[in-house]
Amino acid sequence: MALEKTTTDDKIEIVGDYKHLNIRTATIVSEDGTELSRSFHRRVLTPDADVSGESVEIQNIAAAVWTDDVKSAWQTFQEAQTLP
């Protein structure tokens, strides 16, 4: 009887004008190949996020969708939100 815990980014969505990355991570506990439980954690990455610690897949998606135009638009939006 060997318990095993694995995590995987099982859903990655690109959402909105600023191409936010919605990422769902599944944590799976199994025993001898039979799944005992599965739980989820969600997080959102914005175009100004540092993705260097993310998986290569997420880094590649961010590089593809976070163009200079998207990053500039996101920065402009953020600055507009902080004006008095």
Side-chain angles (χ1 to χ4, degrees):
M1 285 194 216
L3 288 177
E4 182 179 1
K5 178 180 173 182
T6 58
T7 59
T8 183
D9 294 330
D10 70 335
K11 184 181 278 191
I12 302 169
E13 299 173 316
I14 302 164
V15 180
D17 294 336
Y18 305 110
K19 311 299 185 208
H20 289 83
L21 299 182
N22 290 349
I23 302 164
R24 183 177 80 174
T25 302
T27 302
I28 304 160
V29 177
S30 57
E31 181 178 26
D32 296 328
T34 302
E35 185 175 313
L36 301 176
S37 71
R38 180 182 295 246
S39 60
F40 300 103
H41 172 78
R42 294 177 187 271
R43 65 189 192 281
V44 177
L45 299 177
T46 58
D48 58 352
D50 176 12
V51 295
S52 62
E54 299 290 341
S55 69
V56 172
E57 181 180 24
I58 291 173
Q59 290 178 25
N60 290 341
I61 293 169
V65 299
W66 292 346
T67 63
D68 289 339
D69 289 342
V70 170
K71 289 179 183 180
S72 176
W74 175 247
Q75 182 176 358
T76 301
F77 173 77
Q78 289 294 95
E79 290 169 356
Q81 298 302 307
T82 60
L83 293 178

